[in-house]
Every structure is written in C-alpha cells, then in structure tokens.
Amino acid sequence: MIANLLLYPVLHVTIIGALGGLVGAFAYLDRRIFFAESVTHGTFPGAVLGVVIAAAFGLGHSGMSASLYVGAFLGTIPLVALMRWLARIPGVSSQGAAGIVLTAGFASGYFLATWFKPLPLAVNSFLTGSVMTVSPADVAWAGGVLVVALLVVTLGGRHLIAHCFDAAARAGRHELVILGLILASVTVAIPAVGTILSIALIAAPAAALAPLVRSSRAFLVGCPLLGAFLGIVGLAIAVPARLSAGGTIALLCAACVLASRVPQRVAGARRTRRARAGNQ
C-alpha cells in the first residue's frame, strides 16, 4: 500500500530533478539563473488564471491540472517579453529587469488568487507544492517535457553550449530554446515543489558541479543525475520525518552546493600554508 502511494511521487521528483538539472546546466552556462528565479514566480498568476478558467468551464481535476500547466506556461511569456524590454532601457540591468518582473509576477499571482477566492485548489499548493498528491497526469506532463528536453539537447546540445559561451550571440533561436526549456521545466515542477522551490532543482546541480567537472559532456550528464538524486533523497528524508518534501529537497540542494565548495576551500588552505612555509 505504501509503495503504491509513493510510486507517483518518486517518479515525479526523479523526473523533475533530472529535468531541472539538465535545463539548469544551460541556465547556469547562459547566466540565466536569476531569470529562472523570476520565471518561477511568474508562473503563479498564469497558474491561477488557468485554474479559474478551467473551473468556469466546469472541467474536472484532470482538466484543471492541464489548465494549470498551460496557464502557467503561457502566463510567463508576457513577463519574459517585459523583462527583455526593460533590460534594453538604458540604466536598467538584466538583474534589475528580472527583479521587477519577479516582484510583479508574484504580486499579480496573489492579487488574482485573492480576487477569485475561493479557488478550487489551495493557493499553497502553487507556492510550495505537494509532492504526495501528484497524479499520473502530473507525471506524464513532466515526463513529456523531459523527453523533449533530451531530444533538444541530443540534437542541438553543441549549438546551445556554443551559444552560452559566445558573448556576441545573446539573442536568436538558441536563446529562445533555452528560455523555452526553462519555462517548461519550471511549469511541470509546480505540483511537486511549487513556484518558489523549483529554482532549487534548476540552480543547485549546476552550481554544485561547475567547480568539480572539467568537460561540458560531464557537466551535462552529471547535472540531471545529481538533480534526480537530490529529489529522491529529499523525498526519502521528508516522508518518514513528516516534513515538507519541497522544503526538504530545497534544503538538500543548498547543502549540496555548500559541500561542493569544501574541496576548493581545503585546497586553498593548503596552498596558503605551503606559501607561508616557503616564505619562512
């Protein structure tokens, strides 16, 4: 019985962990982590509107789930357009534009949630997720996006990596592909870890492995594996301890990033001691 209850949560966190790690590798290389953070909050108003529209048409739970995904994804598009437009204004940095959109998106989500209250779904499920209540449809959506992401990386991974390291090519179809993957991965992670905590699975694997690996291939393979591992271990800790699975996964991601810096610290301390000994 317990195994049946955990089947879909385990599948879902494994998939979104691998997806977040894979997409996060390109977000990290393309310096889009803060953009991804803004997008996670920008999905909130779109998700609320999707559920409201589904309820207005009398759709059931599966219809609301589909509308949540579609609304969350489509709702980020105007915010991304706004962010790019703001970044072109003299004196407004890309980080400043992302911060404006982050605040506007999150505030809009709360406004809409209050305006259309009561919602058919709990608002906290949008923010922090509820991995133990994911459905087969949620797993299917996440799995479909992961398959698409793997196909995109398999067919055009070299071009995407080249784009990330080409300072002159900051626009074009490769940028749109990376942005689209970020939007999709954030959207399908909502049921498990919500709009707030999904950034952990995108940022942490890449941030942890970046100082430890020496090739792009190892980076692209290691990030999704580490993301899936963090998702599974976080769920394994949270369930018996009766903790929030999303919060536990996020904390585990932070601990992983901190642990990845230990070898550098140790090596730096050794070099410092050797330099001092040589000077003496």
Side-chain angles (χ1 to χ4, degrees):
M1 182 66 179
I2 296 177
N4 293 333
L5 291 176
L6 291 176
L7 176 61
Y8 293 122
V10 169
L11 287 175
H12 199 260
V13 297
T14 303
I15 292 171
I16 65 171
L19 176 62
L22 180 62
V23 173
F26 291 101
Y28 182 90
L29 294 176
D30 201 33
R31 297 181 291 278
R32 296 284 181 180
I33 295 297
F34 195 45
F35 166 85
E37 168 68 9
S38 301
V39 167
T40 59
H41 291 70
T43 57
F44 189 23
V48 172
L49 286 177
V51 170
V52 169
I53 293 173
F57 282 95
L59 301 181
H61 185 272
S62 59
M64 288 187 186
S65 177
S67 297
L68 184 151
Y69 288 122
V70 174
F73 183 85
L74 294 179
T76 59
I77 294 177
L79 293 178
V80 171
L82 174 62
M83 190 187 312
R84 298 183 70 182
W85 177 76
L86 290 172
R88 295 191 182 99
I89 299 176
V92 179
S93 65
S94 57
Q95 289 86 352
I100 294 172
V101 170
L102 184 154
T103 305
F106 199 59
S108 298
Y110 256 115
F111 173 80
L112 292 173
T114 303
W115 183 270
F116 292 106
K117 189 177 182 179
L119 291 173
L121 298 178
V123 173
N124 61 349
S125 67
F126 292 84
L127 302 179
T128 59
S130 179
V131 69
M132 296 305 296
T133 61
V134 296
S135 66
D138 297 326
V139 176
W141 277 92
V145 174
L146 177 59
V147 170
V148 171
L150 289 172
L151 288 175
V152 169
V153 173
T154 300
L155 298 176
R158 292 184 179 180
H159 299 290
L160 294 177
I161 293 175
H163 161 80
C164 294
F165 287 100
D166 185 359
R170 306 313 299 171
R173 68 177 184 275
H174 296 125
E175 181 193 26
L176 295 178
V177 169
I178 293 175
L179 297 184
L181 289 176
I182 293 173
L183 298 182
S185 63
V186 168
T187 299
V188 296
I190 290 176
V193 292
T195 61
I196 295 177
L197 303 176
S198 56
I199 186 62
L201 286 173
I202 293 178
L209 290 180
L212 303 177
V213 299
R214 294 292 178 266
S215 69
S216 59
R217 181 183 295 273
F219 189 62
L220 291 181
V221 172
C223 284
L225 292 177
L226 180 57
F229 174 78
L230 292 172
I232 294 173
V233 173
L235 183 63
I237 295 173
V239 171
R242 297 184 179 181
L243 300 172
S244 166
T248 303
I249 293 171
L251 289 175
L252 189 62
C253 288
C256 180
V257 174
L258 293 176
S260 69
R261 283 0 187 222
V262 172
Q264 288 183 322
R265 294 279 184 171
V266 173
R270 289 177 178 175
R271 287 193 296 268
T272 301
R273 286 195 299 267
R274 290 173 183 173
R276 289 177 179 176
N279 293 333
Q280 293 176 355

